[in-house]
Amino acid sequence: MNTAYTGDCLFVMQGMNSDFVDLIYLDPPFNTQKVFMAPVGSKAAGLSFKDMWSWDDVDEEFLEHLIINYTSLAHFIRTIKKNHSEAMMAYTTYMSIRLIEMKRVLKSDGLIYFHCDSTASHYIKIAMDKIFGDKNFINEIIWQRNDGRAKGSQFESKKWGANTDTILVYSKSKNYK
């Protein structure tokens, strides 16, 4: 279960006042369906993180909130299972619940930056359109890692190496700074 990784941020945000934060930068797991191991010799050696998602990672109480208060988002998320997988549906739900809480704590003139890769960026973009409003989409930043190394895909046959990530930028209103 991944809640040890990002679940704490939800608990912390719930204790915060609304309209309190100027800027949010989110760099969550990317739903790569891989297991990441800490390098041998590092202080974290022997530790691992499973970037895999299932419905066990989704809190039913928050899911109900999503269905009641964000009907079009809940409808969109249901289509993900048909178009991609249950894991992507769970990941998008898990992130959406946190994004809703981030919107609550974000000031009306604040900005949120969501760092992701091509694994789920298009699903997260639609979720953020539905949460923040498509009119509050500011920019999509595509950046290339400066070391020139691709992430994993350069070793797969018939696939270009992926050495870029995406940062989706949204505001809560048109009065952002």
Side-chain angles (χ1 to χ4, degrees):
M1 190 158 163
N2 294 307
T3 53
Y5 183 79
T6 56
D8 293 343
C9 77
L10 184 61
F11 177 75
V12 169
M13 286 187 297
Q14 289 172 331
M16 296 172 70
N17 292 331
S18 297
D19 303 312
F20 183 72
V21 177
D22 292 307
L23 174 73
I24 298 171
Y25 176 79
L26 183 62
D27 187 1
F30 290 173
N31 193 35
T32 61
Q33 298 301 306
K34 296 179 182 175
V35 176
F36 295 95
M37 302 291 292
V40 174
S42 73
K43 290 182 180 180
L47 297 176
S48 66
F49 171 73
K50 291 194 304 186
D51 189 12
M52 300 173 190
W53 302 83
S54 73
W55 274 112
D56 292 338
D57 300 313
V58 177
D59 187 314
E60 293 294 327
E61 179 183 333
F62 292 111
L63 183 57
E64 186 174 322
H65 170 76
L66 189 75
I67 292 167
I68 293 169
N69 296 300
Y70 291 87
T71 307
S72 66
L73 176 58
H75 177 70
F76 164 70
I77 288 172
R78 277 190 290 255
T79 67
I80 294 173
K81 183 176 180 179
K82 295 176 189 169
N83 295 313
H84 191 282
S85 66
E86 186 174 293
M88 184 60 72
M89 185 172 70
Y91 176 80
T92 306
T93 303
Y94 188 87
M95 290 300 154
S96 293
I97 290 165
R98 278 137 187 83
L99 286 165
I100 289 167
E101 192 65 14
M102 288 176 199
K103 180 184 178 191
R104 183 189 67 78
V105 302
L106 190 64
K107 287 183 178 178
S108 64
D109 61 354
L111 290 172
I112 182 169
Y113 293 75
F114 190 109
H115 180 174
C116 51
D117 70 1
S118 61
T119 305
S121 61
H122 44 293
Y123 296 110
I124 296 299
K125 166 86 171 69
I126 294 171
M128 290 184 81
D129 280 350
K130 294 187 178 298
I131 294 166
F132 289 90
D134 61 342
K135 301 278 190 263
N136 291 323
F137 171 70
I138 305 299
N139 208 346
E140 178 181 32
I141 302 167
I142 307 295
W143 66 276
Q144 181 178 3
R145 284 180 290 289
N146 63 5
D147 64 6
R149 290 182 299 136
K151 297 192 307 190
S153 62
Q154 78 272 21
F155 302 112
E156 296 176 25
S157 63
K158 298 183 182 183
K159 186 171 181 182
W160 293 99
N163 64 343
T164 61
D165 284 340
T166 299
I167 300 173
L168 300 170
V169 185
Y170 282 80
S171 63
K172 192 170 175 179
S173 73
K174 288 298 173 198
N175 301 323
Y176 63 91
K177 293 180 183 175

